[in-house]
Amino acid sequence: MTSLLAERRGASLRDSADGLRRDLQLVAEMIPPGSRVLDIGCGDGALLAFLWRHKDVDGRGIELSQGGVNACVSRGLSVIQGDADRDLDAYPKGAFDLVVLSQTLQATREPRRVVENLVRIARRAIVSFPNFGFWRIRLRLLAKGRMPVSGLLPHAWYDTPNIHLCTIRDFVALCAEIGAKVEHGLALDQRGQSFSLDPQGTLANLLAEQAIFVLRGSEPS
Amino acid sequence: MSVLTSPRPPRQWDPNWPGRRLFVNEPLRLDCGTLFGPFTIAYQTYGRLNPERSNAILVCHALSGDQYAADPHPLTGKPGWWSTVVGAGGVLDTERYFVICANVLGGCMGTTGPGDIDPSSGEPFALNFPVITIGDMVRAQKRLIDHLDIPSLFCVIGGSMGGMQVLEWAANYPDCVFAAVPIAAAARHSAQNIAFNEVGRQAIIADPDWCGGRYFLYDRQPSRGLAVARMAAHITYLSEAALHRKFGRNLQDRNAVTYGFDADFQVESYLRHQGSTFVDRFDANSYLYITRAMDYFDLAAEHGGSLARAFAGTKTRYCLISFTSDWLFPTAESRAIVHALNAVAANVSFVEIETDGGHDSFLLHEPEFFKTLRGFLLGCAEHRGLPRFWR
């Protein structure tokens, strides 16, 4: 599972021209210069390195794969080997300005507890995930009766790390349930181009292949 | 190979040994309450201190180590215990960093220990040596660093008991430690580890040649006890997989078992060799005192029961490293430290290296380990503004 996750982060989305994946570019644009950022599932540290170079960000990372952690630490980034399920509890309330969970929520064991932790440990949480409500996915299940496989979800059902898939609606409902306020959202196609749609609306849930949401979190106590 | 025929082990400084010694006049208040001193610290350095005095790395050695991290051991002639890491162009690059390694308080390679003469009696201290702690070792090292006029160490690094010293350094002198690298370490000694240490100590104490710790007076050495202690401990430094890979059930210089208690198996022969070579270079009373210091180590207890409190407000950059097959200081111990550091939002990296080398992996050739360590130090050097070459 370790290597699968690393692969997924590295390969499934096409790299943009300047080397940073398009969805990570969108995330980077949302991060104010000089903030304290925790990137969960930081892969080889591409986003953290970008933020350090261009935005003077005090960045930390959590990554599951030894290869990813080594790559990060070897380039001078502060990254711990761990995962969102196990390693968020220790952080104090409001420890970060921003926490980023990019394309990882669906691979956690307890997504609800993870999202609760995200809004607890940071003032803002940026969460991106593949939308299982995307029409092609719905159609594939309906027409073929097989578990959908797509560019963003490339694994067969028996070897997928993505054990908790959700639709945009599911995610928005979870946020409401735990009292996390959605500040902002983007509905995206596979390449990370955004639709000018209400990200919480029915159309977005049908047309978007992935989504990025910004949740309001906690101030330091 | 017998463990009985070994020469007298060293217990006092030999002027022919390489390295330097610092005589510390001002006594040290030990954790046990004793005011101890004057005392001596034997140390070795590699590389040169830069004009800004900002490139010093303190290497803390483990239970059976000493200050000879990177040059041949004066008693055994074997390469330094960390010569794979410390050296020109190495991970701890002596072209760039000034590397210091000191024999711990209670040791037997030149720093004052139970084998040295107690000025009050004119005899070796033996059991009159005060019980020391990891904190005492570190406070003694601090005297050396002050003497060398280094206001802030670039890095304090060490494995096993060395890692305990790193944690103690970072917790007690946070402004003096820019980066801290505890390897295969723990914030406290586990019950299992205390138990193993006790087996070793009892093996020494049960040796009739130990003579209540006053073996010097009778020109005897508890070599058998110390060898058994080392053999038992050495098993804990390896892993089942590594033992199987190296030895399996292979027989030693024979085709069949002998139906006796000779070293039929290669693994027995190997352990006997480990035991017999250890007594050539180590002092039994030092072994008692240093294992005791490890047992007493509990960093959280020193800070009101909260490990996070030990690190509160720290600016030090941490890198913790553990090894998958280390069952003596397992990854969970390092992760507990990481969580405590996270609780105070410290700057921390943590990596678990996959290897079957067991606890001793930090002494072995482990390319992934070296790569991580090198990268972390280069990143820290960049953050500190250390020039790549300063000469």
Side-chain angles (χ1 to χ4, degrees):
Chain A
M1 176 162 156
T2 302
S3 58
L4 289 177
L5 270 175
E7 260 171 46
R8 180 177 50 76
R9 288 223 45 188
S12 66
L13 289 163
R14 212 173 294 175
D15 281 356
S16 61
D18 71 349
L20 195 61
R21 239 167 49 196
R22 177 68 193 147
D23 66 320
L24 293 181
Q25 276 182 44
L26 289 171
V27 169
E29 283 165 20
M30 297 177 188
I31 295 175
S35 35
R36 285 169 64 88
V37 174
L38 176 68
D39 183 4
I40 304 164
C42 61
D44 64 359
L47 176 64
L48 285 173
F50 179 88
L51 293 173
W52 183 30
R53 269 200 309 273
H54 299 289
K55 293 207 164 185
D56 194 28
V57 153
D58 179 10
R60 313 284 162 78
I62 299 179
E63 169 59 30
L64 200 53
S65 74
Q66 184 186 315
V69 179
N70 279 1
C72 291
V73 175
S74 305
R75 62 206 275 190
L77 302 170
S78 301
V79 171
I80 66 167
Q81 193 163 10
D83 63 58
D85 285 306
R86 184 172 46 181
D87 293 299
L88 298 184
D89 291 340
Y91 291 98
K93 193 179 168 197
F96 297 94
D97 296 316
L98 260 152
V99 57
V100 178
L101 186 74
S102 171
Q103 304 288 335
T104 300
L105 184 66
Q106 75 282 356
T108 63
R109 275 179 196 284
E110 295 184 67
R112 180 186 165 118
R113 211 177 106 231
V114 168
V115 176
E116 284 171 343
N117 261 330
L118 295 182
V119 294
R120 180 183 65 81
I121 66 176
R123 293 164 193 239
R124 280 196 176 72
I126 302 178
V127 183
S128 73
F129 57 91
N131 172 28
F132 209 69
F134 179 53
W135 68 272
R136 275 183 188 277
I137 289 181
R138 299 191 198 193
L139 191 65
R140 188 179 157 100
L141 189 59
L142 184 69
K144 297 196 174 174
R146 301 276 312 267
M147 282 301 284
V149 174
S150 71
L152 282 177
L153 299 169
H155 304 286
W157 65 274
Y158 48 80
D159 71 351
T160 181
N162 303 317
I163 52 175
H164 282 123
L165 290 157
C166 69
T167 68
I168 291 178
R169 268 199 170 165
D170 288 329
F171 181 76
V172 171
L174 173 66
C175 290
E177 213 176 302
I178 64 179
K181 179 154 172 31
V182 175
E183 274 196 350
H184 181 56
L186 281 176
L188 307 171
D189 71 8
Q190 188 188 337
R191 298 189 55 191
Q193 299 299 325
S194 66
F195 296 98
S196 47
L197 289 171
D198 170 12
Q200 303 187 40
T202 308
L203 265 183
N205 197 30
L206 196 61
L207 297 179
E209 217 165 331
Q210 53 177 326
I212 301 181
F213 282 94
V214 181
L215 311 180
R216 185 177 301 162
S218 315
E219 297 295 319
S221 57
Chain B
M1 193 169 313
S2 167
V3 294
L4 296 171
T5 57
S6 54
R8 283 167 60 100
R11 55 188 189 276
Q12 283 160 25
W13 175 259
D14 180 331
N16 294 319
W17 293 349
R20 275 173 248 177
R21 292 216 302 169
L22 172 68
F23 182 77
V24 183
N25 210 9
E26 175 91 5
L28 197 65
R29 175 68 69 184
L30 302 178
D31 279 330
C32 66
T34 303
L35 200 59
F36 184 72
F39 63 97
T40 305
I41 300 175
Y43 66 101
Q44 185 62 295
T45 65
Y46 310 93
R48 281 170 56 196
L49 191 61
N50 65 7
E52 299 79 26
R53 314 187 88 75
S54 63
N55 68 333
I57 295 181
L58 177 66
V59 171
C60 302
H61 70 73
L63 163 61
S64 62
D66 49 46
Q67 68 271 37
Y68 300 110
D71 44 0
H73 195 279
L75 291 168
T76 65
K78 287 184 182 162
W81 59 270
W82 229 13
S83 50
T84 48
V85 169
V86 180
V91 177
L92 299 193
D93 187 352
T94 51
E95 299 283 321
R96 189 175 197 192
Y97 309 118
F98 176 59
V99 177
I100 307 158
C101 187
N103 190 209
V104 295
L105 195 62
C108 49
M109 288 303 288
T111 295
T112 305
D116 286 292
I117 300 295
D118 179 354
S120 68
S121 68
E123 284 179 8
F125 280 103
L127 295 197
N128 290 324
F129 195 76
V131 169
I132 44 148
T133 64
I134 300 292
D136 295 331
M137 293 175 181
V138 165
R139 278 186 288 276
Q141 288 164 1
K142 180 70 165 62
R143 298 284 180 87
L144 170 64
I145 300 306
D146 288 345
H147 163 79
L148 295 172
D149 195 17
I150 295 167
S152 161
L153 290 159
F154 169 61
C155 179
V156 183
I157 184 171
S160 193
M161 186 184 85
M164 292 176 168
Q165 294 163 65
V166 173
L167 294 169
E168 190 80 34
W169 260 99
N172 290 336
Y173 305 105
D175 298 336
C176 301
V177 182
F178 185 79
V181 187
I183 304 162
R188 62 176 185 190
H189 219 211
S190 68
Q192 176 175 266
N193 289 3
I194 295 170
F196 281 124
N197 275 350
E198 175 62 1
V199 169
R201 284 190 295 266
Q202 288 303 327
I204 292 167
I205 289 168
D207 186 330
D209 286 332
W210 183 61
C211 308
R214 292 160 65 84
Y215 44 90
F216 303 105
L217 298 181
Y218 308 98
D219 203 21
R220 289 157 81 176
Q221 299 294 339
S223 298
R224 287 167 299 180
L226 182 59
V228 170
R230 175 64 171 175
M231 289 165 76
H234 198 79
I235 300 167
T236 70
Y237 303 153
L238 306 173
S239 71
E240 202 272 337
L243 280 173
H244 182 77
R245 174 168 51 77
K246 279 186 191 166
F247 308 109
R249 290 181 52 82
N250 298 339
L251 300 180
Q252 180 70 27
D253 304 327
R254 64 202 68 187
N255 298 319
V257 295
T258 59
Y259 295 95
F261 296 103
D262 220 14
D264 276 354
F265 293 99
Q266 281 180 9
V267 66
E268 294 174 295
S269 169
Y270 170 77
L271 278 182
R272 290 185 187 192
H273 174 72
Q274 289 297 329
S276 68
T277 52
F278 188 60
V279 301
D280 291 344
R281 67 176 179 89
F282 216 85
D283 174 55
N285 282 341
S286 273
Y287 196 87
L288 298 183
Y289 277 92
I290 297 174
T291 54
R292 204 64 180 144
M294 294 176 79
D295 292 351
Y296 281 178
F297 184 63
D298 184 347
L299 193 58
E302 293 172 31
H303 293 83
S306 158
L307 188 55
R309 202 175 299 161
F311 304 119
T314 183
K315 296 274 182 290
T316 301
R317 305 177 74 88
Y318 287 84
C319 182
L320 286 103
I321 301 173
S322 69
F323 301 97
T324 48
S325 52
D326 183 351
W327 53 279
L328 198 62
F329 289 76
T331 290
E333 300 277 9
S334 287
R335 198 179 292 284
I337 299 167
V338 169
H339 285 168
L341 287 163
N342 285 345
V344 296
N347 196 316
V348 52
S349 291
F350 163 58
V351 60
E352 181 187 32
I353 304 291
E354 190 154 348
T355 171
D356 76 355
H359 181 58
D360 263 356
S361 293
F362 73 97
L363 301 171
L364 307 176
H365 182 76
E366 292 285 352
E368 278 298 313
F369 164 49
F370 293 166
K371 202 175 130 202
T372 305
L373 191 52
R374 185 191 299 270
F376 173 75
L377 289 172
L378 289 177
C380 288
E382 194 176 329
H383 280 284
R384 191 171 214 193
L386 275 193
R388 183 160 267 284
F389 303 102
W390 56 270
R391 265 180 271 191

